[in-house]
Amino acid sequence: MSRFDGKSAVVTGAASGMGRAIALALAAEGASVVVADISADGGAETVAMIDAQDGRARFLRTDVSSSDDVQALVDLAVSAHGGLDLGVNAAAIENETSPIADCEEAVFDRMIAVNLRSVFLCMKYEARAMRSQGRGGSIVNIASTNSFRPQPNQAAYTASKHGVLGLTRAGAVDHAADAIRVNAVCPGAIETPMLLGAIEARGRDKDEVARRLSLFGRFGTTQEIAQAVLWLCSDESSFTTGHALAVDGGYLAR
Ligand SMILES: NC(=O)c1ccc[n+]([C@@H]2O[C@H](COP(=O)([O-])OP(=O)(O)OC[C@H]3O[C@@H](n4cnc5c(N)ncnc54)[C@H](O)[C@@H]3O)[C@@H](O)[C@H]2O)c1
């Protein structure tokens, strides 16, 4: 018996990076996963990887900033996998390189739509499905160490990730009575296309960044994030809700 046998999960941002690792890990422990992402190629690859490990998954191209898409995603999990037990909201973008005085308003608006309003939409429809089936559930939002401490030239991203923590705590308060737990994982510097793209855009040195952003002098792995997410999804964390779990190589301790 695996931890997530018989469980139905949606994972957004599952075409790449952490979302993919989380989808693979959930499926490896028995969950049926709907892989959601705006990238159809990456999403299909994730499903192929899960198929190759004899897991159960299907892909739905989803723009998490669209309410219709998010509703369709939750509806698919419910109709194809018999309900919804787990919602992991990992999709986001990060493409700012200027201080707030030069931050384009369109950049701010897009970041809030994709990184924050999306989490509201996902939580809303995930919690609605979980509440109506009456067996509770677990929602895990991927926030950031930027939810606590901003990096330079990331005002919109930082605002969005502070907001994700607010939604996490509000969701925990609103839905405890429905046996729905809502938590956040706050990654530090994790080696993914997003981090490598940000380093390149800023012309930084990878080793210097790793030393500065982690007490271990290395980047975290997507598997290290997936293990934390799986704990928060599982009954092992049954008394934990509204919590922000930093998985950051000690960055916030400094
Ligand atoms: N990598 C890091 O160091 C780091 C640190 C802290 C927090 N995070 C957070 O971790 C999460 C995962 O990031 P990652 O590093 O794995 O990035 P990634 O770029 O590898 O993956 C993000 C995924 O989100 C998808 N996506 C983007 N916009 C979308 C949209 N509108 N609708 C649906 N999907 C969309 C992308 O296609 C991509 O597959 C994000 O929430 C990110 O903010 C990352």
Side-chain angles (χ1 to χ4, degrees):
M1 184 80 182
S2 298
R3 274 193 295 183
F4 301 108
D5 276 347
K7 301 286 188 192
S8 162
V10 298
V11 182
T12 74
S16 176
M18 293 178 218
R20 171 177 281 171
I22 293 160
L24 283 163
L26 281 171
E29 295 204 36
S32 300
V33 182
V34 180
V35 166
D37 205 286
I38 203 161
S39 159
D41 290 349
E45 261 176 45
T46 302
V47 169
M49 292 164 85
I50 291 173
D51 284 348
Q53 63 183 27
D54 290 329
R56 276 181 304 276
R58 63 186 70 215
F59 172 68
L60 186 67
R61 186 182 180 280
T62 309
D63 178 347
V64 289
S65 67
S66 153
S67 176
D68 287 349
D69 280 16
V70 171
Q71 288 182 62
L73 167 65
V74 171
D75 287 350
L76 176 63
V78 170
S79 62
H81 298 149
L84 183 68
D85 304 288
L86 311 171
V88 181
N89 304 318
I93 50 173
E94 197 297 290
N95 53 12
E96 277 174 287
T97 52
S98 46
I100 195 162
D102 304 317
C103 180
E104 299 290 342
E105 287 155 43
V107 168
F108 186 87
D109 290 347
R110 182 78 191 135
M111 196 79 74
I112 294 300
V114 177
N115 291 11
L116 179 58
R117 187 169 180 276
S118 66
V119 173
F120 160 72
L121 291 174
C122 289
M123 287 176 64
K124 171 175 170 158
Y125 292 105
E126 290 162 359
R128 199 175 264 192
M130 290 170 181
R131 183 177 63 183
S132 73
Q133 70 204 12
R135 58 175 195 248
S138 175
I139 295 173
V140 181
N141 296 323
I142 305 300
S144 172
T145 48
N146 278 45
S147 300
F148 301 96
R149 187 183 300 170
Q151 295 294 325
N153 301 333
Q154 288 189 320
Y157 183 80
T158 298
S160 74
K161 292 299 184 178
H162 273 62
V164 169
L165 274 200
L167 284 173
T168 300
R169 291 171 177 145
V173 169
D174 285 354
H175 290 292
D178 303 314
I180 300 168
R181 296 183 300 108
V182 187
N183 292 287
V185 166
C186 300
I190 309 300
E191 187 150 4
T192 68
M194 180 184 287
L195 178 75
L196 298 177
I199 289 172
E200 196 180 329
R202 290 167 172 77
R204 293 265 164 73
D205 174 68
K206 260 179 81 175
D207 293 337
E208 180 277 322
V209 173
R211 278 195 302 277
R212 189 161 42 81
L213 298 186
S214 154
L215 300 183
F216 299 131
R218 68 167 175 87
F219 297 137
T221 67
T222 56
Q223 287 74 22
E224 287 170 317
I225 298 299
Q227 289 313 312
V229 171
L230 263 61
W231 180 72
L232 288 170
C233 284
S234 77
D235 291 342
E236 291 158 23
S237 60
S238 50
F239 204 52
T240 302
T241 195
H243 183 62
L245 175 59
V247 181
D248 66 346
Y251 168 71
L252 288 173
R254 190 140 47 193

